[in-house]
Amino acid sequence: MLNLAAARAPAGPLAAVRFAPSTRFPLTAALLISAGLTLSTVATPGWADETTASPDSTGALPTVKVSAARDAETASPERVSAGALGNRKQVDTPFSTTVVTTEQGKDLNASTINDLFKYDPAVTDAGNNVTGENAFFSIRGLQIDMLNGVKVDGQNFPSWDTELSLEPFEQVEMLKGLSGFMYGFSNPGGIVNYVLKRPTDDPYRSFSIGYESAGVFSEKVDLGGRFGNDNRFGYRLNLVNEDGNTAEANGHVRRQVASLALDFRITPDLTWTADAFYQKRKTNGTLFGLMFGPGLGIPDPDSVTRELTQPQNFYQTEIASFGTGLDYRLSDNWHASLKYRFAKENRTNSDSLLYVENAAGDYQNTLYAAMTRYFYQNVDAMAQGKFETGTFKHDVVIGASYQTQQSEYDNSEGWNSGYSLGTGNLYSSTLLTNDEVHIGENLYRQEATSQTSLYASDTVQLTSRLSALLGLRYTQYRDKVYQPDQSVMSNYSANPVSPTVALMFKLDPYSTVYASYVEGLQQGGAASNTNLNYPQTYGPLKSKQYEVGYKSDHRNWGANLALFRVDQGYDYTNTANVYVQDGTKRYDGVDASGWLQLATDWRIMGGMMWLDAKAVDVDDPTVDGKRVYAAPRFTLTGRVEYNPSYLRALTLAFGGKYVGNMAVDAANTQFVPAYTTWDLSAKYETQVAGKDVTLRAGVNNLFNRRYWTTSWGAYVMPSATRTFVANATLEF
């Protein structure tokens, strides 16, 4: 249930005069076009030649490269987990996907999920974890579902207003668009699946130290290997400690992470796995967001003070998870798995909503101090196999899953109405405090949902080039929302069947043209405590997706092109401050990306997305036909990498991203302007005392561009400042 009791704002109509966006195409966007004429994702191959050794099971590449040509096996992850479709090569799926490995993330100086996918043109930042509660983004204009859109090894994971640390994971996979058949209920924006690091066949040890401005230091350990008779037991251990002052006002971060993955090869065909994961992160100096009252435009972010937070503002999340499973190779053509995962999230917020009241920038600061909890359990069983019927070849997947979610909310003053810290102004810093602020722990069960699913798919090889996919998922969905006294406020059930159909044509072994149709459902929304119709709740929203695409991954170039339409039920707060589900959000767009190795020293990559997102068949005339909030019409990315032939140990990179303007609200009375950011990085690989050492450094948001992000159809957030990062990794 998308209950934006987290969407806290003073009651009142969301009306404002339209902020007229600039129609001029900025010079920086033109520069990005020249850098991104060849379109790309970040999940592109690394530098290596045909003689470069393959990576070991850790994914680590040899330290010093001797050529800049691509090695198809070491460059980019070829396979992606596709839920009910099983594990497949990316080029063999009729959907848009992006996969970024741990090593690629390090080269991007990535510390958040936003950093990991920054050069995917379909991705737009909706918030960050330095000035706000957490880093999160939208895909093709649709926000990731925080309750159902994040997976760990394909299973649901709590991520409400939080994010997972990247260190315990081998790679992160992004599926763009609807996932109803593949994963069940979820927002049609897409799925983010974190793949845990697993035990290595050979001993692996690494130690890293890092620094981020203005004074954040980190230490990281990654250990893996096998032991016992015939090395049947394996382990992988990751430990992270991070602490220090950030570059933001009142900013400080402290983060601890521990993860352990084990396996036992019971027989050559049967493997048992288990893993445990723990993460705790606390950030001081955070905001929930800013909300601008009726008749107000969004000011130039450069004119607003950076000192908007107060000493009492902080945000903390704590996550614990345990998973186990059995993997059995029945034969050369058949494989079965059974897995279970439990996960828990504790979330404590003491951050402020700033409600701007007038053009002079005066605001009311309301601090919400509360605790919430989320509990998830998943059980999944799946079998995947191949067989032939006459001239047709079949790749089938059958499975069943059961998952439960439960949320607990705080019924204290700090959650329901918040604490007033007083008034301030956007253009000057003001110290505001309230001695009455405290975190309540009067938690009650707020919502409980369950999903029981059966699914099956068959990919039929009709000819040597042409194949067809048919998939069906049947789900029993149950959702109950409770009052603090535990009386049932709403009780909803549904038994949908979600189909997927697709045709795929292989132009060559490395290229596919496809057309696909997907249906899906997502949990319905609920009015927040700031809406006039609080606490009204709604049933699930239905979505449909049509996509035609092309994907190719060759030795010296790669490309992805998708033309798509997504129709989704529309939920929004109207100008009367009533939360409604009415009409349809329609997203028509083009998502294109690719990479090209120009010469032995140079490689360019980039991408673009054009998006026409608008409301259709909406009863409210102030919303019908308007742009969907938080959806840019145009994004553009470009990145150039230079790996000089005279010094293969060194790689330099320069990249940028342009994001078009976005509506803040459904009626399009407010807009945040377009922006462009640039990044610069360097990597140097060497040896010290016979051990491999990698040095990395870079500057994110090189020119300290200030901009606004927007989400939830009402709120804006300031961007993070320029950040310098540096780290060193020793492998031994």
Side-chain angles (χ1 to χ4, degrees):
M1 178 68 59
L2 182 57
N3 187 338
L4 288 187
R8 309 173 282 262
L14 299 179
V17 295
R18 181 185 179 100
F19 178 81
S22 171
T23 58
R24 293 182 301 170
F25 201 66
L27 174 62
T28 48
L31 292 174
L32 277 171
I33 288 179
S34 64
L37 288 176
T38 304
L39 306 171
S40 165
T41 64
V42 287
T44 52
W47 303 95
D49 73 348
E50 293 184 55
T51 62
T52 302
S54 297
D56 61 19
S57 56
T58 69
L61 293 174
T63 301
V64 180
K65 316 296 189 296
V66 296
S67 175
R70 176 197 176 210
D71 185 328
E73 297 301 320
T74 65
S76 64
E78 292 186 349
R79 308 189 75 84
V80 62
S81 301
L85 286 180
N87 189 281
R88 299 193 177 192
K89 290 183 177 180
Q90 290 194 75
V91 76
D92 292 337
T93 61
F95 311 105
S96 297
T97 58
T98 302
V99 179
V100 184
T101 67
T102 296
E103 292 303 307
Q104 292 168 336
K106 291 178 181 178
D107 292 344
L108 291 169
N109 295 312
S111 61
T112 71
I113 189 70
N114 290 16
D115 299 331
L116 214 58
F117 294 107
K118 71 168 67 174
Y119 292 115
D120 190 308
V123 171
T124 306
D125 289 358
N128 66 82
N129 66 0
V130 179
T131 64
E133 294 182 345
N134 67 309
F136 66 107
F137 58 80
S138 63
I139 304 175
R140 296 175 175 174
L142 294 116
Q143 282 182 211
I144 289 290
D145 186 338
M146 292 185 178
L147 291 175
N148 299 289
V150 176
K151 315 290 180 182
V152 170
D153 285 349
Q155 295 185 292
N156 229 20
F157 199 89
S159 60
W160 182 253
D161 279 356
T162 189
E163 62 190 90
L164 293 178
S165 296
L166 301 179
E167 291 87 358
F169 301 99
E170 191 65 44
Q171 65 185 39
V172 183
E173 306 166 345
M174 181 173 65
L175 168 68
K176 303 176 186 179
L178 268 68
S179 58
F181 162 68
M182 280 77 78
Y183 290 102
F185 272 53
S186 182
N187 186 297
I191 293 293
V192 175
N193 181 42
Y194 293 77
V195 180
L196 277 165
K197 290 179 179 177
R198 291 296 175 180
T200 58
D201 288 334
D202 298 319
Y204 177 76
R205 297 176 294 275
S206 75
F207 175 72
S208 300
I209 56 173
Y211 170 83
E212 288 189 14
S213 55
V216 180
F217 295 89
S218 61
E219 306 84 35
K220 305 175 184 180
V221 175
D222 186 356
L223 306 175
R226 310 201 68 83
F227 62 94
N229 293 334
D230 300 322
N231 285 329
R232 294 168 69 185
F233 295 91
Y235 68 93
R236 189 69 177 270
L237 175 68
N238 277 264
L239 301 172
V240 178
N241 180 68
E242 182 179 69
D243 195 4
N245 295 323
T246 69
E248 306 299 329
N250 302 310
H252 184 275
V253 62
R254 187 175 186 186
R255 180 172 65 102
Q256 293 89 31
V257 181
S259 69
L260 177 65
L262 304 171
D263 70 26
F264 172 39
R265 295 172 178 170
I266 302 171
T267 72
D269 297 322
L270 179 63
T271 301
W272 168 79
T273 61
D275 62 79
F277 171 84
Y278 174 82
Q279 169 188 312
K280 186 174 183 180
R281 187 180 192 275
K282 181 178 181 181
T283 310
N284 293 85
T286 59
L287 290 173
F288 169 74
L290 291 86
M291 187 174 181
F292 290 82
L296 300 180
I298 309 300
D300 183 347
D302 285 319
S303 65
V304 175
T305 178
R306 291 190 181 274
E307 299 183 6
L308 292 174
T309 64
Q310 303 298 332
Q312 287 180 288
N313 291 146
F314 75 87
Y315 189 75
Q316 178 177 289
T317 56
E318 185 177 22
I319 298 175
S321 177
F322 168 77
T324 187
L326 288 170
D327 192 272
Y328 188 35
R329 187 170 66 92
L330 302 170
S331 68
D332 290 340
N333 292 325
W334 284 90
H335 166 268
S337 63
L338 175 67
K339 54 186 180 180
Y340 165 82
R341 180 166 300 279
F342 167 83
K344 174 186 176 182
E345 174 190 344
N346 293 337
R347 171 178 171 264
T348 306
N349 61 284
S350 179
D351 45 13
S352 293
L353 171 69
L354 308 184
Y355 184 81
V356 183
E357 299 178 311
N358 54 46
D362 297 320
Y363 62 77
Q364 291 285 340
N365 186 323
T366 303
L367 185 149
Y368 291 87
M371 175 180 288
T372 49
R373 291 185 183 137
Y374 302 87
F375 301 86
Y376 283 46
Q377 292 193 79
N378 298 251
V379 179
D380 294 275
M382 186 171 72
Q384 183 173 5
K386 299 179 180 180
F387 63 90
E388 297 182 7
T389 57
T391 60
F392 298 143
K393 298 179 180 179
H394 301 261
D395 189 340
V396 299
V397 177
I398 56 175
S401 68
Y402 175 75
Q403 58 180 275
T404 63
Q405 304 173 14
Q406 180 173 301
S407 60
E408 295 181 354
Y409 279 13
D410 188 340
N411 194 35
S412 66
E413 176 186 0
W415 172 263
N416 292 311
S417 59
Y419 299 95
S420 175
L421 294 189
T423 61
N425 188 274
L426 292 178
Y427 307 107
S428 62
S429 61
T430 305
L431 179 63
L432 302 172
T433 61
N434 187 333
D435 294 337
E436 296 180 359
V437 173
H438 67 279
I439 304 297
E441 296 185 3
N442 184 22
L443 301 182
Y444 70 96
R445 180 179 53 174
Q446 186 270 340
E447 185 175 19
T449 66
S450 67
Q451 296 183 50
T452 304
S453 300
L454 298 173
Y455 56 84
S457 70
D458 186 3
T459 303
V460 184
Q461 192 76 36
L462 302 174
T463 70
S464 61
R465 293 177 178 263
L466 181 65
S467 60
L469 164 68
L470 173 63
L472 291 173
R473 176 186 286 262
Y474 169 75
T475 303
Q476 290 185 342
Y477 174 79
R478 305 292 183 264
D479 181 14
K480 288 186 178 181
V481 180
Y482 298 88
Q483 298 276 18
D485 63 5
Q486 292 302 280
S487 61
V488 176
M489 184 168 62
S490 69
N491 187 356
Y492 189 88
S493 62
N495 303 297
V497 175
S498 302
T500 291
V501 294
L503 284 174
M504 294 170 282
F505 185 79
K506 302 289 290 186
L507 300 177
D508 58 54
Y510 313 105
S511 305
T512 301
V513 176
Y514 65 89
S516 62
Y517 171 77
V518 186
E519 289 185 6
L521 286 177
Q522 70 183 87
Q523 288 183 237
S528 76
N529 56 359
T530 66
N531 294 124
L532 297 181
N533 59 330
Y534 176 77
Q536 184 173 353
T537 60
Y538 293 89
L541 293 166
K542 187 175 182 179
S543 302
K544 298 179 180 180
Q545 175 180 287
Y546 310 83
E547 182 167 311
V548 177
Y550 165 79
K551 55 176 66 177
S552 186
D553 190 15
H554 287 78
R555 183 177 191 82
N556 295 314
W557 66 277
N560 298 276
L561 174 66
L563 287 75
F564 59 88
R565 165 173 285 186
V566 175
D567 285 341
Q568 177 195 19
Y570 203 176
D571 57 333
Y572 61 94
T573 296
N574 63 23
T575 54
N577 196 30
V578 176
Y579 177 82
V580 297
Q581 286 188 181
D582 170 36
T584 299
K585 288 189 289 186
R586 173 162 292 170
Y587 299 80
D588 291 321
V590 179
D591 177 7
S593 57
W595 66 274
L596 173 67
Q597 189 167 311
L598 292 173
T600 58
D601 293 359
W602 294 90
R603 185 176 61 182
I604 64 172
M605 58 199 71
M608 62 80 64
M609 181 188 69
W610 173 83
L611 182 65
D612 180 20
K614 62 184 178 182
V616 297
D617 299 326
V618 176
D619 292 335
D620 187 340
T622 66
V623 174
D624 191 42
K626 298 294 181 64
R627 287 175 59 182
V628 175
Y629 57 79
R633 279 186 172 161
F634 191 73
T635 62
L636 189 67
T637 67
R639 180 175 165 92
V640 179
E641 295 179 356
Y642 177 54
N643 183 222
S645 56
Y646 58 86
L647 187 60
R648 284 296 185 210
L650 176 68
T651 301
L652 303 174
F654 179 69
K657 185 169 188 174
Y658 168 83
V659 178
N661 71 340
M662 292 176 282
V664 174
D665 61 329
N668 291 188
T669 63
Q670 297 169 326
F671 280 79
V672 294
Y675 64 89
T676 305
T677 58
W678 301 93
D679 304 303
L680 180 67
S681 65
K683 178 177 70 171
Y684 185 76
E685 298 169 300
T686 186
Q687 288 194 332
V688 176
K691 307 300 182 183
D692 293 337
V693 174
T694 303
L695 305 174
R696 293 180 175 90
V699 184
N700 295 328
N701 195 0
L702 178 64
F703 300 109
N704 204 21
R705 179 73 163 89
R706 299 194 67 185
Y707 56 92
W708 298 109
T709 60
T710 182
S711 61
W712 305 122
Y715 306 99
V716 300
M717 278 293 297
S719 63
T721 60
R722 175 173 48 216
T723 305
F724 172 75
V725 296
N727 57 74
T729 300
L730 169 67
E731 297 182 8
F732 57 98

